[in-house]
Amino acid sequence: MNAQQLKESIEGTSPRKRVELEKLFLFVTLAGEFRPGYEVYARNASTYNEYFDALFADDAMKDTDVWAAWAKLAHRKWVDRFEPKVAIPNMRLKTQGIPVEFGSGIFIAPLGSKDTVADFYVFPSKGFNTRAADFVTSIGGTFRCAGLEFTGIYGVYKFHNTVIFEEWEVEKDPVPFEEDGCCR
């Protein structure tokens, strides 16, 4: 596949999806040719799906904008491609989000889906490609979530049925506490 064939493959999609795919095309091409290093993904590809899936499969690309954009657009699971400090899969929830407790207050960290089963991850600062997830908010102070007590400032992200905390300024690592039955 050459760059023109990739463009033709994209042109055959629905107008809404085409807009996003054309942005990806601009990431990987320049003046009608693949940018250096991006042509390797076209070797065995005959469609835009095959091309961008090949790029997505390359761990050397996982910190790039095009990798993140394809992960979001194609709904590819990617969290396991990075090294979390905390991973709690398949939490059973009573709400469509993970409760975060602040003393007598509560914040529900939303999921990117309507599911009541969620995965929860904590990553160090710059520990994952934040552009592959949707930023929700930041939280700081001492708070509890998913059976852990946190002290510090964290970015909160969502992706499908996953909630991700990214450490921004941490006073101490999360420590377990006795749960009150809100989730798991």
Side-chain angles (χ1 to χ4, degrees):
M1 168 180 266
N2 62 35
Q4 181 60 35
Q5 291 167 321
L6 177 61
K7 185 176 183 177
E8 290 168 3
S9 177
I10 290 169
E11 288 171 352
T13 62
S14 68
R16 187 171 60 104
K17 192 169 189 177
R18 187 177 322 127
V19 170
E20 295 304 314
L21 288 168
E22 286 172 347
K23 290 177 189 174
L24 291 176
F25 180 77
L26 293 174
F27 275 121
V28 301
T29 61
L30 181 65
E33 298 294 327
F34 286 113
R35 291 177 186 267
Y38 286 96
E39 70 284 346
V40 297
Y41 308 110
R43 288 187 186 141
N44 297 317
S46 60
T47 67
Y48 73 85
N49 272 309
E50 291 173 357
Y51 176 84
F52 289 112
D53 278 345
L55 185 148
F56 180 78
D58 185 355
D59 276 345
M61 298 300 289
K62 71 182 183 182
D63 291 320
T64 65
D65 288 337
V66 68
W67 186 94
W70 179 248
K72 286 176 92 170
L73 181 64
H75 305 288
R76 298 292 186 259
K77 295 213 174 246
W78 54 264
V79 176
D80 62 346
R81 306 267 298 270
F82 297 89
E83 296 292 325
K85 289 179 85 172
V86 174
I88 305 174
N90 301 316
M91 291 175 54
R92 302 268 178 222
L93 306 173
K94 296 178 183 176
T95 63
Q96 291 178 353
I98 298 178
V100 179
E101 302 172 36
F102 292 89
S104 64
I106 193 164
F107 159 72
I108 304 296
L111 302 178
S113 70
K114 301 251 186 239
D115 208 342
T116 56
V117 176
D119 299 328
F120 176 73
Y121 295 92
V122 178
F123 284 97
S125 181
K126 297 179 179 33
F128 71 102
N129 189 333
T130 58
R131 296 170 309 270
D134 294 317
F135 178 73
V136 176
T137 191
S138 58
I139 54 177
T142 299
F143 56 92
R144 294 177 171 187
C145 180
L148 298 170
E149 185 171 86
F150 295 82
T151 304
I153 302 171
Y154 292 79
V156 179
Y157 300 81
K158 66 179 180 176
F159 182 75
H160 296 294
N161 68 329
T162 301
V163 171
I164 301 168
F165 283 7
E166 179 187 28
E167 296 177 336
W168 287 357
E169 290 187 29
V170 177
E171 293 180 28
K172 63 180 183 176
D173 284 336
V175 294
F177 77 97
E178 273 303 310
E179 258 195 271
D180 62 1
C182 74
C183 46
R184 276 229 185 155

